[in-house]
Amino acid sequence: MDSPASPPMIEIENVTKVFSTQDNRNLKTIDDIQLSIAQGEFICLLGPSGCGKSTLLNLIAGFETPSAGIVACAGKPVVAPGPDRGVVFQEHTLFEWMTVSNNVSFGLTCNPDIRARFPDAAGRTQACIDLVGLRGFENTFPNFLSGGMKQRAAIARSLAPDPAILLMDEPFGALDAQTRFIMQNELLKIWQTTQKTIVFVTHSIEEAVFLADRIVVMTKRPARIKEIVKLDMPRPRNINDPMLSDIKSRLYDSMASESVMI
Amino acid sequence: MSAVAPAVASRFELGMTRALYEWWLLIALAVVWIAASALNLIPNSVFPDAQTLARATVDLVTGKVGVLGKLTDHVWISFARFAAGYSIAAGIGILIGLLMATSSLIAALILPILRLLYPIPGLAWTPLVIMWAGIGENAVIVLIFLSAVWPIVYGAYDGFRNIPRNYMLVCRQLGATWNVRVRRVLLPAALPMLFSGLRLGHGMGWRAIVGAEMIAAVTGVGYMLNMGGELRRPDVVVVGMIVIAIMSALLDRFVFGTLEDRLISRWKR
């Protein structure tokens, strides 16, 4: 992964993001971030609520443009959102009036280019539904699915156009603890099967430690990179592993100094 | 009871049981009314008894009441006026609601006007509308429009305004064309509230039509009903009322009910 031969999948070079608020003040949310993410890597962005980690994700997704610096994916600068970067949000993103199957196939049928790329949209849709374990629920409407199943469907939809990168913004944040744990395991399996590059935003240390190759700890606003913790442990990980416990307590200390009054 | 027959019978029985359960008071009142009619207890100058009402219905349908004309003609005229006024209300109402939802500037401009005009009953416009359009077709259509349009504007505004932001982000990320965004995402997302506005406006339109035709027309069910009053014919008035109720209820149940089942109920919870 450190070999210079393979160029990074995501390159964030000196990126700063400033928003202007309604009363015309400038609010710096991201300050000079430098980060390089390799192909196939699982990165967790960890930081206090409201620190700007979602903004960083939106910059990679192309929903926002940097005020300074460059974000590049697969060697090309990001100028707009695109199907090469799948996004999974926390909630409220499945189209309620479409069945699971139609939600998943939406990304394969919503423009002429993508239709040409996936002539067998039905087969691809089914493969993605199978991958996330939703076989048998193809014709169910989202409102009749549990929270975990909704997120499975959302993941399937974002995977359908075969993006190189999966961007996930606290995707399991609204789930109960048990479902959350199941979904984390599912996601790791999907990641291992598909070899995607994943950037996963979370404020949960446990979640980051369980999932990531590298954890990028961010400061409170304006977000800078505080430290990057590399985890070389095989998966599935045991959350009570003493080595993980050390890392967790280190991360708790790191986060505690960044806690903000809300 | 055989073991085979019930499938059909029980469904019918179920339907009857449900109808009885929902409508028992109405049915009971009808029974009382018919019994009182049979005993000649109802003074026809105040409220028609069953036989008078039946005769009036037949006479009106066959056009034997002279100046009152044929019921079927009135029904058709009223329906055509309603369809015209309501269609214009739907088209303009949805457009205004959509514009308001798209631009906060337009919303800020229109909302105060809307808040002022919404509580005014459509029929309060009648004298003005007659001055503008004269007595007849156009006046009635405009009055139906003025009664039906407000809830439609609000429904469309709320429907389009409350589309979750994430839906558009998903569309941008997946690269949906504008055609796909409008047809497959924006319209269906706005549909539940849009639809309830349309349904509410439908009811408002029917409420307005009788009043509008009483004052601003010389044909239509409302006019017939009003003439019934002038001629001291309670039976004609009641026939008119029943016809209006049936027309609006049929449309509401069969058009709106069916559309709602098909387009919304199966996914909305």
Side-chain angles (χ1 to χ4, degrees), chain A residues 63 82-83 85-87 91 93-98 106 109-111 141 143-144 157, chain B residues 164 166-167 169-177 180 184-185 188-189 266-269:
Chain A
F63 294 139
R85 282 152 288 139
V87 182
E91 53 187 343
T93 66
L94 286 175
F95 300 132
E96 293 178 280
W97 52 92
M98 293 183 198
F106 182 84
T109 54
C110 66
N111 72 57
F141 288 100
N143 279 327
F144 299 88
R157 180 175 63 186
Chain B
N166 281 353
Y167 284 159
L169 293 183
V170 170
C171 283
R172 284 173 64 196
Q173 188 262 303
L174 293 170
T177 60
V180 168
R184 290 180 65 192
V185 178
R266 53 195 200 112
W267 58 265
K268 190 89 190 161
R269 199 143 84 164

Side-chain angles (χ1 to χ4, degrees), chain A residues 151-174:
Chain A
Q151 285 310 68
R152 285 171 194 259
I155 292 170
R157 180 175 63 186
S158 65
L159 285 174
D162 200 21
I165 298 165
L166 203 53
L167 305 170
M168 310 183 84
D169 193 355
E170 306 203 28
F172 309 142

Side-chain angles (χ1 to χ4, degrees), chain B residues 84-166:
Chain B
Y86 182 71
S87 307
I88 299 169
I92 292 180
I94 293 172
L95 187 69
I96 294 177
L98 180 62
L99 287 174
M100 287 167 64
T102 323
S103 148
S104 52
L105 179 69
I106 296 178
L109 289 174
I110 293 183
L111 269 175
I113 303 175
L114 216 56
R115 289 207 187 93
L116 274 175
L117 294 185
Y118 190 31
I120 300 174
L123 290 178
W125 292 88
T126 312
L128 274 182
V129 171
I130 291 176
M131 281 183 239
W132 296 335
I135 297 229
E137 227 59 57
N138 293 341
V140 178
I141 291 171
V142 170
L143 286 169
I144 292 166
F145 166 81
L146 284 170
S147 302
V149 74
W150 314 112
I152 299 177
V153 172
Y154 270 115
Y157 176 49
D158 282 340
F160 288 114
R161 190 173 51 136
N162 290 318
I163 296 173
R165 200 178 93 91
N166 281 353

Side-chain angles (χ1 to χ4, degrees), chain A residues 122-259:
Chain A
R124 174 77 191 152
T125 300
Q126 190 62 53
C128 292
I129 290 173
D130 291 350
L131 179 68
V132 300
L134 277 183
R135 177 172 276 262
F137 292 92
E138 290 85 351
N139 297 319
T140 308
F141 288 100
N143 279 327
F144 299 88
L145 296 174
S146 68
M149 288 162 96
K150 280 183 193 168
Q151 285 310 68
R152 285 171 194 259
I155 292 170
R157 180 175 63 186
S158 65
L159 285 174
D162 200 21
I165 298 165
L166 203 53
L167 305 170
M168 310 183 84
D169 193 355
E170 306 203 28
F172 309 142
L175 304 178
D176 61 86
Q178 195 185 349
T179 311
R180 194 172 208 207
F181 180 65
I182 294 169
M183 290 303 295
Q184 287 164 353
N185 278 295
E186 273 309 297
L187 179 62
L188 285 176
K189 271 189 232 156
I190 292 167
W191 171 66
Q192 279 157 349
T193 315
T194 58
Q195 310 273 308
K196 303 292 179 202
T197 307
I198 295 183
V199 183
F200 188 108
V201 166
T202 182
H203 59 252
S204 156
I205 290 170
E206 303 258 328
E207 188 163 61
V209 163
F210 188 71
L211 294 173
D213 287 328
R214 282 193 295 159
I215 300 173
V216 178
V217 185
M218 302 176 81
T219 64
K220 66 187 174 207
R221 202 172 58 217
R224 292 186 204 89
I225 293 178
K226 190 179 171 81
E227 59 172 327
I228 296 181
V229 179
K230 200 166 161 83
L231 295 95
D232 267 332
M233 280 148 279
R235 298 178 181 84
R237 292 171 184 160
N238 180 352
I239 206 74
N240 297 317
D241 186 314
M243 239 166 82
L244 282 187
S245 301
D246 285 354
I247 295 172
K248 273 197 295 189
S249 63
R250 204 176 108 204
L251 287 169
Y252 272 115
D253 292 343
S254 189
M255 291 272 281
S257 63
E258 294 302 331
S259 63

Side-chain angles (χ1 to χ4, degrees), chain B residues 8 26 38 57 59 86-87 141 143 183 186 191 193 199 202 242:
Chain B
V8 177
L26 183 68
T57 309
D59 289 351
Y86 182 71
S87 307
I141 291 171
L143 286 169
R183 214 164 29 82
L186 294 178
L191 194 63
M193 285 191 219
R199 200 166 186 173
H202 175 259
I242 292 174

